[in-house]
Amino acid sequence: MKSLIKLKKKTETYLYDHYLLKEGLSFTKLVIISAICAAIFAFGFDCFITPDLTNPTTANMTIATGGVSGISQNIILICQMCGSKVDPYYLQSILYFCINIPILLFGFFFVGKKFAVVSAINVGLSSLFVSVFKSFATVIAANQFISGPYGILPRAIFGAMTVAVSSAVAFKHEISCGGMDVISYYFSMRKSTSVGKYNVLINACVISLFSILTCVSSGSNWTNGVIGLFVSIVYLFVTMLVIDFINVRNKKIQIQIITEKSNLNNVLLANFPHGTTITKAHGGYSGNEKEIITMIVSSFEVSRVVKVVRKGDPHAFISVTSLIQVYG
């Protein structure tokens, strides 16, 4: 164990002295994670959300997902109603990528260049994998548990879980899967709040439109549209639950650090995109002059803050407090 700790410290020291190598390895790690998230998203979308668009039995049982993929689904359904013979998987890939372009540009200018680049890679791979995984969709759709009369409900649950895991894992590594995730990341980082109500509003409009189009395309058999509406609500609810369980970006934590190191505040400001408040104090027992540094961070940043503080001042006293809400 001690040898592993020493090796880790040597590696960290070496990478600290070789900045370009460190950044290159960090970017490579993000690209790999982005590719994994894209594969999870595409697998869930193909196999559970739209298990077989070419099969007349299941084509009218598509689950509306909301967001960019939901907008793409609406456009595809309109094209099908107009008699288009384009491969729906191929069209989904193109639309998903094209609609994400202005959103990714927003992320590039207002969130971060590396964030936008890695997110763009994720979107591109997702579009590619949606076409690649359609063969898996055909196999899974043949299963009675998925294609049976009550198969749409487990599809919604499993599809929501895979898509939510994809988004949440990306969020935890400070990247996104494109679409509304970019907007959510911007608000959670800059405004210390989420855009849940705006996401719900947009998704409600997308799902409602999809349900109306499904009813129109089905003619007198409008049952599919109504069932699809309720199942899509289940899908969105499960998605939000899973993302909230995995991703803790919007949960704020107050950290107070009592230290005698006057430069520790500068170290924290250099490593975290948060402000600090310094209160002058003196030890009740030692009588030494001290500083109390107060920071508000996301809960997933706490371990990193503690690690940086311990490295800058091994004798610092750290207290961590959960917050209900942050204003200002």
Side-chain angles (χ1 to χ4, degrees):
M1 181 63 68
K2 290 183 178 180
S3 60
L4 290 176
I5 295 175
K6 289 182 179 179
L7 178 61
K8 182 179 179 181
K9 288 184 176 180
K10 288 182 179 180
T11 303
E12 289 178 349
T13 302
Y14 180 81
L15 292 177
Y16 182 82
D17 295 331
H18 297 79
Y19 177 78
L20 292 178
L21 177 60
K22 179 181 178 181
E23 288 297 306
L25 291 175
S26 175
F27 184 79
T28 302
K29 175 186 174 183
L30 291 179
V31 170
I32 293 174
I33 293 173
S34 180
I36 294 173
C37 292
I40 295 173
F41 169 82
F43 179 82
F45 189 87
D46 277 355
C47 298
F48 300 116
I49 307 303
T50 54
D52 191 358
L53 291 174
T54 60
N55 185 345
T57 305
T58 58
N60 57 359
M61 296 174 64
T62 301
I63 302 168
T65 60
V68 172
S69 57
I71 294 173
S72 302
Q73 287 176 311
N74 280 320
I75 297 176
I76 291 173
L77 186 54
I78 292 173
C79 292
Q80 290 176 334
M81 292 172 62
C82 294
S84 174
K85 302 299 182 181
V86 179
D87 184 348
Y89 291 99
Y90 179 72
L91 186 56
Q92 173 73 31
S93 300
I94 295 176
L95 290 173
Y96 184 79
F97 184 80
C98 292
I99 298 174
N100 265 290
I101 291 177
I103 300 176
L104 291 172
L105 289 175
F106 173 85
F108 183 86
F109 290 107
F110 294 100
V111 178
K113 296 180 176 62
K114 183 166 70 172
F115 170 86
V117 170
V118 178
S119 297
I121 293 174
N122 178 281
V123 170
L125 290 175
S126 296
S127 299
L128 175 63
F129 290 151
V130 164
S131 296
V132 172
F133 287 159
K134 64 180 181 180
S135 57
F136 290 96
T138 304
V139 174
I140 291 180
N143 190 297
Q144 186 64 25
F145 181 66
I146 297 297
S147 60
Y150 304 104
I152 191 170
L153 186 57
R155 278 173 45 203
I157 296 174
F158 292 137
M161 291 175 63
T162 53
V163 172
V165 166
S166 173
S167 296
V169 171
F171 261 134
K172 285 188 73 70
H173 292 86
E174 301 187 37
I175 55 178
S176 80
C177 295
M180 289 302 297
D181 286 352
V182 176
I183 310 299
S184 298
Y185 188 97
Y186 171 80
F187 275 88
S188 65
M189 182 179 67
R190 304 284 181 173
K191 308 297 182 181
S192 295
T193 185
S194 66
V195 289
K197 58 183 178 181
Y198 303 109
N199 269 331
V200 170
L201 179 61
I202 294 173
N203 290 334
C205 294
V206 172
I207 290 175
S208 299
L209 177 60
F210 186 85
S211 299
I212 293 172
L213 292 174
T214 302
C215 291
V216 173
S217 63
S218 300
S220 58
N221 185 17
W222 49 268
T223 307
N224 288 333
V226 176
I227 294 176
L229 175 62
F230 286 107
V231 172
S232 297
I233 293 174
V234 172
Y235 167 86
L236 293 177
F237 182 73
V238 174
T239 301
M240 288 187 290
L241 285 179
V242 175
I243 290 178
D244 287 343
F245 179 78
I246 298 176
N247 178 43
V248 291
R249 167 167 291 277
N250 293 322
K251 297 178 182 177
K252 301 304 179 183
I253 303 294
Q254 176 179 282
I255 299 181
Q256 282 194 331
I257 305 155
I258 302 176
T259 179
E260 295 183 6
K261 301 289 186 180
S262 59
N263 66 332
L264 184 59
N265 179 65
N266 295 331
V267 174
L268 292 171
L269 292 177
N271 283 273
F272 300 96
H274 306 292
T276 61
T277 299
I278 300 176
T279 305
K280 296 295 182 180
H282 66 275
Y285 177 77
S286 65
N288 296 335
E289 294 297 324
K290 297 177 182 289
E291 291 183 348
I292 301 177
I293 304 173
T294 304
M295 293 182 68
I296 306 297
V297 301
S298 298
S299 56
F300 83 98
E301 294 177 303
V302 171
S303 60
R304 185 166 163 241
V305 172
V306 173
K307 182 179 179 181
V308 171
V309 171
R310 288 296 188 193
K311 194 171 183 179
D313 182 7
H315 303 290
F317 180 84
I318 307 170
S319 66
V320 180
T321 306
S322 297
L323 301 177
I324 297 176
Q325 185 58 275
V326 176
Y327 299 95

